[in-house]
Amino acid sequence: MTKAVPGRADQERTTRSARPGPVAEPVPVDEAEALGVVEGGEAVGIPSVVGVLKGITSAFAQPGPVSRGAGRLVRDLVSIARGTDEHTPHPKDKRFVDPAWSMNPIFRRLGQGYLALGAELGRLVDEYEKGSADWHDVERARFAVSALTSALSPTNQLPMNPAALKRAFDTAGASLVRGARQFAHDVRHNGGLPSQVDRSAFTVGEDLALTPGDVIHRDEVAELIEYRPSTPTVRERPLLVVPPPIGRYYFLDLRPGRSFVEYATSRGLRVFMLSWRNPTAEQADWNIDTYARRILSACEVIKDVAGVEDVNTLGFCAGGILQSVVLGHLAAQGEHTIHSASYGVTLLDFGVRAPLGAFSAPRALEMARADSQRRGVITARSLGTVFSWMRPDDLIFNYVVNNWLMGERPPVFDILAWNADGTNLPAALHSEFLGIFRSNTLAEGHLEVLGTPIDLGKITVPVFVTGALNDHLTPWTGCYRTTELVSGPSTYVLSNAGHIASLVNPPGNPKASYFIGGDPSHGPEHWRATAERRQGTWWEAWADWLVERSGDERPAPATGSNANHPPLEPAPGSYVLDRTPPSA
């Protein structure tokens, strides 16, 4: 991103210089910055090379805007060569923080030329959007141009990165040797992308996922964990948490003080968690029915263990999609197993605009479908690569510079370790997710699960829906749409954070806030304009809401299991560690 300082054509140049995209940040140095980096979501398509090239071609296939942009760029480059141009990096763009970018005439002109080019590339996408192009095509073009712009930054090349050159000189070349070793490691073990974290610093079950509990039920699809109460009394109606089938569940149980599970138990809730098995090609036929059936069986186990007639559920991200199809199935059957449902940054209506539209071209989706069916799974590496390229400055090129050019080790943060600990997605489930994504089958009522048509409008249980103001993957207005799709009483809360940062958001953060209580009669923007802003985290508002729907207090059980479902092993269990016990 660039920013023009006062001068010639001030207003126009400010607009132009703000186009290239998010401000590049260095590798994270604290927990808050690490959370800012991890804003991935659930991939439902993998962009093909053809699709990326088509996006770039679409942006450039505009004779008028291209010729005008080329003329402006030539004028800017001439001005840069004369030393009179006013292009300067954004103050928060850490790529150009080294003094050489402002003091050395060669590096200054090199940086200014790149910023001028980036501004014009961003303008081309904006002009493409103004030409009434389909928003899916615009997002594909924006994805491609963003990746191209980030890759062209001179800071990514050793001869054009003054900080890396100084580091090499100061270390007598040792930084280059370390960087070469890390580059070779990443080529062999990380698909050629730079590592974002030193995963060796954390062990699940020893450093992460520490809330006490037991696996009380296991089948081939998932383990069911019950967490031990941390209060003398618990609410009568239990909570089942449904994490996404992409990624490990323990982003909800990182470390003490940063654990959603720990907080929920501290509020007197009896908490159960599904831990999905990481599928291989042998599980290629697992589909939405498979996962929906497992959620229903977990509900039955919980009802038996707790001695209740129904449960509350909470679905995160794609887990919210699975929760919705279960709710739709229960509504069609006239069953009342679920008393209330909560959603964490879940998108159900894929007719709304989102950056994921970059992957929604029919050919790209069909290629992704064919690839996963051929392999049996869509791999964790493929899923992670998609979202790295959605934020290339933050998730790729910062680490190219840090790890390969500067020879520094990647950072050590729990949330980054979780982010790197990916899982596969079975081909059948992937194919059905693609159908939901491309044809919007869930929101439009064209999906059948467990033999019943799914009509979200028949869901009448109370729902609590969350969105994140800075979520660029599942936009908050799209998350709000859930409250309009279901028919039961709904509460919407809008966090001030991003996709993952809004979920790992314990109380006590002075920067955390959320909106709640707006007027829902005229859509999301009116809701936000009329909502009350509160300091704190949505965890607190959600817990208050759920406690009211969790029945009376009762003494906390000494053990969480019963004779039908004895403890199998302590939490975090085996599946999160990719172990497969014989009982599975």
Side-chain angles (χ1 to χ4, degrees):
M1 182 180 289
T2 65
K3 180 180 179 181
V5 296
R8 175 173 52 89
D10 225 25
Q11 183 175 0
E12 177 190 6
R13 297 181 53 147
T14 299
T15 302
R16 290 166 52 198
S17 63
R19 298 300 186 189
V23 172
E25 296 292 346
V27 294
V29 296
D30 58 30
E31 299 286 359
E33 289 185 4
L35 275 171
V37 167
V38 182
E39 289 304 329
E42 290 71 54
V44 290
I46 299 297
S48 65
V49 174
V50 173
V52 172
L53 292 176
K54 183 179 178 181
I56 295 175
T57 302
S58 298
F60 280 91
Q62 308 172 87
V66 168
S67 61
R68 291 192 295 271
R72 283 189 299 267
L73 181 59
V74 168
R75 291 193 296 271
D76 280 344
L77 293 178
V78 171
S79 179
I80 290 169
R82 292 174 175 172
T84 59
D85 185 80
E86 297 167 347
H87 276 279
T88 58
H90 191 285
K92 294 184 179 180
D93 192 337
K94 302 303 181 183
R95 294 175 299 178
F96 301 101
V97 70
D98 190 278
W101 291 110
S102 58
M103 299 177 65
N104 184 292
I106 296 176
F107 281 112
R108 183 176 69 248
R109 286 168 171 80
L110 182 64
Q112 288 174 331
Y114 166 72
L115 296 175
L117 174 62
E120 292 304 332
L121 290 176
R123 180 188 283 269
L124 278 181
V125 179
D126 293 340
E127 293 290 343
Y128 182 48
E129 183 175 15
K130 291 177 183 177
S132 301
D134 180 84
W135 71 264
H136 298 85
D137 295 332
V138 172
E139 290 298 336
R140 186 160 55 251
R142 197 177 300 281
F143 171 85
V145 170
S146 173
L148 175 64
T149 303
S150 296
L152 291 175
S153 174
T155 56
N156 300 330
Q157 308 297 325
L158 178 63
M160 294 183 282
N161 189 315
L165 292 173
K166 291 174 185 175
R167 178 63 56 86
F169 179 81
D170 292 341
T171 62
S175 63
L176 300 181
V177 175
R178 292 194 300 267
R181 289 174 180 168
Q182 292 177 173
F183 171 77
H185 175 274
D186 290 334
V187 169
R188 291 195 303 267
H189 303 294
N190 201 45
L193 292 179
S195 299
Q196 297 174 4
V197 66
D198 180 4
R199 288 183 58 188
S200 64
F202 297 100
T203 300
V204 177
E206 298 179 11
D207 308 291
L208 308 172
L210 298 180
T211 302
D214 297 285
V215 175
I216 64 169
H217 187 257
R218 175 189 294 125
D219 65 10
E220 66 172 357
V221 180
E223 293 175 327
L224 180 64
I225 300 170
E226 179 176 11
Y227 292 96
R228 296 168 196 163
S230 61
T231 53
T233 61
V234 294
R235 292 289 170 169
E236 180 180 22
R237 183 173 291 111
L239 168 69
L240 171 62
V241 180
V242 183
I246 306 166
R248 314 286 184 173
Y249 80 85
Y250 63 87
F251 73 96
L252 299 169
D253 187 26
L254 284 174
R255 290 184 286 111
R258 285 164 53 77
S259 167
F260 177 85
V261 172
E262 177 189 53
Y263 176 76
T265 59
S266 76
R267 293 297 303 269
L269 297 171
R270 194 168 178 182
V271 182
F272 295 77
M273 174 79 72
L274 279 169
S275 175
W276 301 111
R277 182 179 177 181
N278 187 17
T280 66
E282 295 180 359
Q283 289 83 44
D285 61 344
W286 287 4
N287 58 12
I288 288 183
D289 282 1
T290 306
Y291 286 81
R293 192 177 294 113
R294 183 62 181 100
I295 293 172
L296 289 171
S297 68
C299 290
E300 293 305 314
V301 171
I302 295 170
K303 287 162 58 177
D304 180 41
V305 169
V308 295
E309 296 182 354
D310 56 16
V311 303
N312 297 313
T313 59
L314 168 56
F316 286 93
C317 311
I321 295 177
L322 299 176
Q323 173 182 257
S324 296
V325 301
V326 169
L327 289 167
H329 170 72
L330 292 173
Q333 299 290 100
E335 298 181 12
H336 304 284
T337 297
I338 296 178
H339 180 77
S340 75
S342 304
Y343 290 88
V345 290
T346 296
L347 198 63
L348 300 183
D349 186 350
F350 285 89
V352 301
R353 181 167 184 166
L356 290 174
F359 312 142
S360 64
R363 178 173 173 78
L365 292 181
E366 289 305 321
M367 289 179 65
R369 189 195 308 272
D371 184 64
S372 66
Q373 289 177 342
R374 176 174 57 85
R375 297 170 179 261
V377 295
I378 180 171
T379 64
R381 178 173 292 173
S382 296
L383 294 169
T385 299
V386 168
F387 286 98
S388 292
W389 280 107
M390 292 189 77
R391 297 179 61 200
D393 282 337
D394 292 336
L395 300 181
I396 296 179
F397 294 111
N398 277 337
Y399 297 95
V400 166
V401 174
N402 182 79
N403 303 1
W404 299 351
L405 303 189
M406 303 290 286
E408 297 288 346
R409 293 289 299 166
V412 176
F413 290 103
D414 54 9
I415 191 64
L416 295 181
W418 164 81
N419 190 54
D421 189 11
T423 60
N424 304 323
L425 198 63
L429 179 64
H430 181 228
S431 178
E432 289 177 315
F433 274 169
L434 292 180
I436 292 174
F437 185 46
R438 183 183 64 186
S439 304
N440 206 21
T441 53
L442 178 58
E444 296 183 4
H446 303 309
L447 185 67
E448 185 175 292
V449 174
L450 297 175
T452 57
I454 303 302
D455 182 353
L456 298 180
K458 292 184 178 180
I459 298 174
T460 58
V461 302
V463 298
F464 186 98
V465 181
T466 71
L469 188 61
N470 298 318
D471 189 341
H472 303 296
L473 295 169
T474 56
W476 75 268
T477 52
C479 295
Y480 180 90
R481 175 80 175 123
T482 297
T483 67
E484 301 171 329
L485 292 171
V486 300
S487 298
S490 60
T491 299
Y492 187 72
V493 167
L494 178 60
S495 170
N496 71 331
H499 187 82
I500 295 298
S502 71
L503 303 180
V504 185
N505 195 10
N509 180 0
K511 297 181 179 180
S513 64
Y514 61 92
F515 295 88
I516 190 171
D519 177 8
S521 61
H522 299 291
E525 296 293 351
H526 178 75
W527 175 91
R528 181 185 171 189
T530 57
E532 173 191 356
R533 181 169 185 167
R534 298 180 184 175
Q535 291 299 119
T537 168
W538 68 266
W539 290 11
E540 299 164 290
W542 167 82
D544 292 342
W545 181 90
L546 192 64
V547 163
E548 293 179 0
R549 291 158 180 82
S550 297
D552 296 330
E553 290 182 298
R554 59 168 62 170
T559 61
S561 57
N562 63 12
N564 295 329
H565 303 287
L568 302 179
E569 66 175 303
S574 292
Y575 283 174
V576 74
L577 304 175
D578 284 337
R579 294 194 305 250
T580 308
S583 61

